[in-house]
Amino acid sequence: MTRAESADPVAATDDDAAELIAQLRALAGADPADVRQVVAEVLAALDRAAGGALREHLPETIRVDAGLDAPSPAA
């Protein structure tokens, strides 16, 4: 059986996501502030790589946390 025949793309994606989450947790440690910082840096790098297109798909609070957007003024 070849990889193309045996690999379920959805399962592979789920496995990749789980591995990434585990790696982020290991890198960031147990401190939630560290986790937020690592995630913010990853999102900022991905946004730069996408030419700024990623930020359009993120909620405002995440954009602000990642330094991709200024907070909107309170109404």
Side-chain angles (χ1 to χ4, degrees):
M1 219 191 237
T2 67
R3 178 167 166 79
E5 294 170 342
S6 64
D8 175 4
V10 173
T13 301
D14 289 347
D15 290 345
D16 290 345
E19 178 64 23
L20 178 58
I21 290 167
Q23 289 177 2
L24 286 171
R25 284 184 179 148
L27 284 172
D31 185 353
D34 288 344
V35 173
R36 290 178 74 96
Q37 181 62 36
V38 169
V39 171
E41 290 173 11
V42 169
L43 288 174
L46 289 171
D47 185 61
R48 284 191 304 273
L54 177 63
R55 69 186 71 196
E56 299 171 11
H57 302 284
L58 298 172
E60 180 184 12
T61 54
I62 293 174
R63 289 192 313 265
V64 171
D65 281 352
L68 301 174
D69 212 1
S72 62

